[in-house]
Amino acid sequence: MKARVLSGVQPSGNLHIGNYLGALKNWAEIQGQYESIFCIVDLHAITIYQQPAELAAKIRETAALFIASGIDPEQSSIIVQSSVSGHAELSWLLTCVTPLGWLYRMTQFKTKSEKQETIGAGLLQYPVLMTADILLYQAALVPVGDDQSQHLELARDIAQRFNSLYGETFVMPATSLPSVGARIMGLDDPTQKMSKSAPGTGHAIGLLDDPKVIAKKIGRATTDSSPAVDLENISPGIANLLAIGEACDPTFRKETAASMRYGDFKKRVTEAVISRLEPIQKKYREVIADPGYLEGVLADGRQRVLPIAEETVRKTKAAMGLYV
Ligand code: TYM
């Protein structure tokens, strides 16, 4: 039997090249080796207010981007988190074994809560729900970008705590990071992680950005005062563009002459990004134009994973002495 993989993306904001290089690309590459489940985590998205009609559209858009990025719905199950009630149910069971202090320590909670006027309880609970996503399917491997590493350590801590309180119930999930592209930084500020919610049009390369827009954004990306690439002495802006170029095109680093002038270097990065994104955008347009097909993929995914989810919830409740 193949080991199971689970990962997810929030359907909030616009997916960017960091989401692709840190997660989706890796998913497409490894899906054949595992029993893969990829999840559109809408219950996570609502930890911050989402306009309902926009959220509904984003869920479909995200599913279409999964397929466009190479996730094959025949090989992998693509599911919407809220369509499988076990996510929310297991999340409550795990909440009851999670010390509050563990949640207050999460860096993402600290950063996100600083930006909110009112901090919803869901924002604090966020990593417990994420743990439930993983443990619900007894996933052995979780392919993510580097920003999720702390959440995954917490997932292992919660699983361990549950197992030691109630007996072996959950598989311990390992983190899988891509070798290049695990942490793509903002083009406007290479000291900040590229993020869906950051303001400014020069920050992120959207997966659906027009090639002209991509060229403009990369052209304006923050670098430093040197005229040309010096591989011995790389500033954060250049390191980020190198990572983007290399993750989009494996021959990129070799071809990039050490002394390439920044203008030419940025053109090379732009070419690498556009040739990577163009087929994805083309496939996206085909998939999103066929809502019946998309609905079918999501319904199929749900049917495939439902028995696994139901079994884990039953097993967890039984271990805790709840009524089953
Ligand atoms: P989300 O929606 O913020 O991001 C989706 C995936 O993209 C990766 N990522 C990045 N990788 C490289 N550079 C970046 N700048 C960058 N920004 C984002 C993220 O690491 C992630 O892999 N909590 C998760 C979603 C989630 C999940 C899960 C993940 C919910 N349940 C269970 C794994 C397993 C999140 O908000 O991802």
Side-chain angles (χ1 to χ4, degrees):
M1 212 174 80
K2 285 182 180 171
R4 210 168 277 144
V5 154
L6 178 124
S7 200
V9 172
Q10 288 192 70
S12 54
N14 292 323
L15 261 66
H16 52 67
I17 197 151
N19 298 126
Y20 174 71
L21 298 176
L24 297 172
K25 176 171 168 270
N26 196 11
W27 301 358
E29 282 164 7
I30 65 172
Q31 64 185 331
Q33 302 158 45
Y34 298 92
E35 182 188 338
S36 305
I37 303 171
F38 299 117
C39 193
I40 297 139
V41 293
D42 52 351
L43 296 174
H44 277 103
I46 57 166
T47 54
I48 290 174
Y49 176 80
Q50 304 292 327
Q51 208 280 324
E54 233 168 72
L55 178 62
K58 284 281 173 206
I59 290 170
R60 284 159 184 83
E61 188 180 299
T62 307
L65 276 171
F66 281 14
I67 300 168
S69 301
I71 313 299
D72 172 7
E74 300 289 322
Q75 274 191 65
S76 305
S77 303
I78 300 179
I79 60 163
V80 180
Q81 185 187 33
S82 66
S83 76
V84 180
S85 59
H87 291 258
E89 204 175 350
L90 186 62
S91 179
W92 173 251
L93 304 179
L94 298 176
T95 292
C96 297
V97 303
T98 306
L100 209 44
W102 290 6
L103 300 180
Y104 281 127
R105 269 205 297 278
M106 293 294 110
T107 334
Q108 245 180 48
F109 169 69
K110 290 186 205 161
T111 343
K112 283 192 183 172
S113 54
E114 272 164 16
K115 295 182 194 152
Q116 304 299 314
E117 248 175 63
T118 319
I119 305 163
L123 205 56
L124 185 67
Q125 285 294 107
Y126 183 110
V128 184
L129 177 60
M130 184 167 158
T131 303
D133 298 338
I134 300 163
L135 302 189
L136 187 62
Y137 302 107
Q138 306 284 7
L141 200 71
V142 185
V144 283
D146 182 52
D147 62 332
Q148 297 302 318
S149 296
Q150 194 191 30
H151 286 159
L152 284 174
E153 274 169 37
L154 179 85
R156 286 188 286 274
D157 286 343
I158 295 176
Q160 218 146 34
R161 189 169 159 85
F162 189 99
N163 285 352
S164 67
L165 285 171
Y166 296 109
E168 281 304 308
T169 308
F170 297 118
V171 168
M172 219 43 71
T175 308
S176 158
L177 298 180
S179 52
V180 196
R183 193 172 189 84
I184 299 296
M185 311 307 277
L187 295 184
D188 55 345
D189 179 0
T191 64
Q192 299 297 316
K193 183 193 76 165
M194 187 179 282
S195 123
K196 290 188 209 118
S197 55
T201 47
H203 173 77
I205 300 172
L207 288 186
L208 298 175
D209 275 356
D210 188 81
K212 283 198 201 98
V213 174
I214 296 175
K216 207 185 229 173
K217 286 180 177 173
I218 296 177
R220 288 188 185 153
T222 303
T223 52
D224 54 66
S225 56
S226 316
V229 178
D230 173 5
L231 289 176
E232 301 298 310
N233 186 15
I234 302 179
S235 63
I238 295 296
N240 192 38
L241 291 175
L242 262 176
I244 293 175
E246 196 178 359
C248 285
D249 172 2
T251 64
F252 180 83
R253 192 178 269 265
K254 227 191 270 163
E255 278 178 13
T256 307
S259 55
M260 202 181 249
R261 296 189 68 80
Y262 283 171
D264 297 329
F265 171 67
K266 283 180 163 179
K267 275 198 194 116
R268 249 319 262 125
V269 178
T270 305
E271 279 164 21
V273 170
I274 292 176
S275 44
R276 183 46 85 151
L277 294 190
E278 262 181 342
I280 295 177
Q281 297 183 351
K282 183 169 174 282
K283 177 85 182 165
Y284 171 81
R285 287 192 290 269
E286 282 167 28
V287 177
I288 204 77
D290 190 349
Y293 167 72
L294 253 187
E295 286 309 316
V297 165
L298 297 175
D300 250 27
R302 177 176 183 273
Q303 282 311 322
R304 271 189 247 159
V305 304
L306 217 47
I308 314 170
E310 281 168 358
E311 169 56 16
T312 307
V313 169
R314 193 205 56 75
K315 190 174 164 188
T316 312
K317 285 170 77 177
M320 296 177 97
L322 293 164
Y323 183 74
V324 285

